[in-house]
Amino acid sequence: VSGPAVAPLDWVGSVETGVAQAARENKQVLVFYDAPGAEQSRFIAEKVFGDNAVRMAVRSRYVPVRIDVVKDPETAGKLGIYK
């Protein structure tokens, strides 16, 4: 059973902004560390976040933050994701 398409997520570009927004909206923060060109990142972006049910669940409970580990290695490194 498929329903109407759900719009793509509105990703926030920094953890700090996401935390502030989440506090205002009484939500949690979901951080996706994206490594462009990595097969795992592409799979998650397309198959997981491309799923309508996942997008609806994320929208209702979380502020989605997407960190590009190539463009922002400092943030990824601070959080122990990419060194």
Side-chain angles (χ1 to χ4, degrees):
V1 178
S2 66
V6 176
L9 294 171
D10 296 320
W11 293 97
V12 174
S14 79
V15 173
E16 294 82 5
T17 302
V19 168
Q21 182 178 335
R24 287 191 308 273
E25 298 177 7
N26 197 30
K27 293 181 177 180
Q28 295 185 24
V29 177
L30 178 127
V31 181
F32 172 41
Y33 292 94
D34 188 11
E39 188 173 325
Q40 298 90 339
S41 288
R42 190 180 78 241
F43 176 85
I44 292 169
E46 292 175 5
K47 301 295 182 185
V48 177
F49 295 124
D51 181 271
N52 282 336
V54 171
R55 289 195 302 245
M56 286 178 14
V58 169
R59 266 205 186 84
S60 69
R61 299 181 194 131
Y62 302 94
V63 172
V65 175
R66 189 175 198 157
I67 303 297
D68 181 325
V69 299
V70 174
K71 291 182 181 175
D72 191 359
E74 182 179 341
T75 296
K78 280 187 211 175
L79 299 170
I81 304 302
Y82 183 75
K83 296 179 181 190

